[in-house]
Amino acid sequence: MLITKPDYFDDFQCIAGDCPDSCCKEWDVQVDDVSAKLYRSLPGDLGNRLREVLVEEDGETVMTIIDGRCPMWRNDGLCRIQAELGESALCKTCREFPRLTHDYGDFLELQLELSCPEAAKFILTQTRALMINTETEGGEEPEYDEEAMSVLKRTRKRVLEMLFDPSRSVPETLAAALLYGYQAQSELDGDETQDFDADVALNSVQQFAKVPDPLEMTDFFLSLEVLTPEWKALLQSPSPAPWSDDHRALAAYLVQRYWLQAVSDYDLYCRVKFIFIACLLVKHLGGDIFRTAQLFSKEIENSIDNVEALLDAAYAHPAFTDDKLLGMLLNQK
Ligand code: SF4
């Protein structure tokens, strides 16, 4: 089985008590069955506390958040379970975070997740992450449509190359990548592979791009579930930042994460829009891009409801029509 990961993947280390945020705040943690059984069987104070705070929700065991934080989070920023029982006693979610595994059966892709501030430093400072491939035993027969996967892998490779082409400005690069994503959807639908000329594509949409109204976009995000007051404040009072290479790196992270997922439903179009809406939003909100992008991930990527709402909005919401997205990309400095 082929395992692919960015070259910085194994360099990540949790900074625990020094973390400016924490993955132990704001989120309910889903606890796997093996860990839940262990936790409920523990004697003493720790076992009693765990029996109080583990609840069943929709068939899953969840560690409830109390006063906005995990009840196992100590005042020194460390985890009580880890401190008393060692790292191996952590549940799968906590042991793996922020490491993501995309399992396609016969190949695996590993990635760090942007919602961790320490991981965000690796992700957003990449001019072009080198991917490392390793062959191992194991794996399963793929269940995906091989032809569709081949189109998605080929087009993802192309869009990643486009994102790091320094000959075009960042907004033109992102607009060209968005347009290429639309072409990739038609190839996924079975249309013949066509040449893609970014200059021709950009010229052809200049007239079509509408003058943006970013308020529509922030209003949409304010209508979603909001976890933190900081995110709400950013959405209410944005201070747009200039485009920078960090936005290329953000787009590349999102492309790497979501592009191949279209093999599940053949819907690349809404994922492509999701990716570039995210870049536009992070740029529009401004502030420290590391913090703003990390908050985007925490608030949107880590909420299934919010991800689904944004994927639906990519089709239906008036803020995200193609002409407005292109307008926001091509008319903002
Ligand atoms: S968010 Fe990242 S750095 Fe912070 S505590 Fe969690 S894993 Fe560690």
PDB file of all heavy atoms in Angstrom, residues 30 44 105 144 256 299:
ATOM      1  N   GLN A  30     -14.952  12.878  20.536  1.00  0.00           N
ATOM      2  CA  GLN A  30     -15.531  11.547  20.350  1.00  0.00           C
ATOM      3  C   GLN A  30     -14.544  10.506  20.871  1.00  0.00           C
ATOM      4  O   GLN A  30     -13.362  10.539  20.521  1.00  0.00           O
ATOM      5  CB  GLN A  30     -15.761  11.348  18.855  1.00  0.00           C
ATOM      6  CG  GLN A  30     -16.721  10.234  18.554  1.00  0.00           C
ATOM      7  CD  GLN A  30     -17.025  10.211  17.073  1.00  0.00           C
ATOM      8  OE1 GLN A  30     -17.364  11.237  16.477  1.00  0.00           O
ATOM      9  NE2 GLN A  30     -16.875   9.061  16.477  1.00  0.00           N
ATOM     10  N   GLY A  44     -10.980   4.775  41.404  1.00  0.00           N
ATOM     11  CA  GLY A  44     -10.517   6.040  41.996  1.00  0.00           C
ATOM     12  C   GLY A  44     -11.159   7.271  41.404  1.00  0.00           C
ATOM     13  O   GLY A  44     -12.126   7.206  40.634  1.00  0.00           O
ATOM     14  N   GLY A 105      -8.278   2.840   0.811  1.00  0.00           N
ATOM     15  CA  GLY A 105      -8.245   1.383   0.649  1.00  0.00           C
ATOM     16  C   GLY A 105      -6.872   0.914   0.219  1.00  0.00           C
ATOM     17  O   GLY A 105      -6.149   0.309   0.999  1.00  0.00           O
ATOM     18  N   TYR A 144     -13.294   2.528  -4.794  1.00  0.00           N
ATOM     19  CA  TYR A 144     -13.617   3.732  -5.559  1.00  0.00           C
ATOM     20  C   TYR A 144     -13.616   3.432  -7.057  1.00  0.00           C
ATOM     21  O   TYR A 144     -13.103   2.400  -7.501  1.00  0.00           O
ATOM     22  CB  TYR A 144     -12.633   4.854  -5.238  1.00  0.00           C
ATOM     23  CG  TYR A 144     -11.169   4.498  -5.419  1.00  0.00           C
ATOM     24  CD1 TYR A 144     -10.602   4.387  -6.680  1.00  0.00           C
ATOM     25  CD2 TYR A 144     -10.341   4.295  -4.309  1.00  0.00           C
ATOM     26  CE1 TYR A 144      -9.273   4.074  -6.846  1.00  0.00           C
ATOM     27  CE2 TYR A 144      -9.002   3.981  -4.467  1.00  0.00           C
ATOM     28  CZ  TYR A 144      -8.476   3.869  -5.736  1.00  0.00           C
ATOM     29  OH  TYR A 144      -7.151   3.551  -5.903  1.00  0.00           O
ATOM     30  N   GLN A 256      -5.237  19.608  -1.247  1.00  0.00           N
ATOM     31  CA  GLN A 256      -4.710  18.304  -0.836  1.00  0.00           C
ATOM     32  C   GLN A 256      -5.750  17.545  -0.010  1.00  0.00           C
ATOM     33  O   GLN A 256      -5.938  16.354  -0.157  1.00  0.00           O
ATOM     34  CB  GLN A 256      -3.432  18.533  -0.003  1.00  0.00           C
ATOM     35  CG  GLN A 256      -2.596  17.298   0.238  1.00  0.00           C
ATOM     36  CD  GLN A 256      -1.885  16.811  -1.014  1.00  0.00           C
ATOM     37  OE1 GLN A 256      -1.432  17.604  -1.831  1.00  0.00           O
ATOM     38  NE2 GLN A 256      -1.808  15.498  -1.177  1.00  0.00           N
ATOM     39  N   GLU A 299     -13.474  26.347  13.299  1.00  0.00           N
ATOM     40  CA  GLU A 299     -14.896  26.679  13.275  1.00  0.00           C
ATOM     41  C   GLU A 299     -15.649  25.968  12.151  1.00  0.00           C
ATOM     42  O   GLU A 299     -16.806  25.609  12.328  1.00  0.00           O
ATOM     43  CB  GLU A 299     -15.075  28.199  13.096  1.00  0.00           C
ATOM     44  CG  GLU A 299     -14.514  29.030  14.226  1.00  0.00           C
ATOM     45  CD  GLU A 299     -15.509  29.218  15.368  1.00  0.00           C
ATOM     46  OE1 GLU A 299     -16.688  28.875  15.212  1.00  0.00           O
ATOM     47  OE2 GLU A 299     -15.076  29.725  16.427  1.00  0.00           O
TER      48      GLU A 299
END
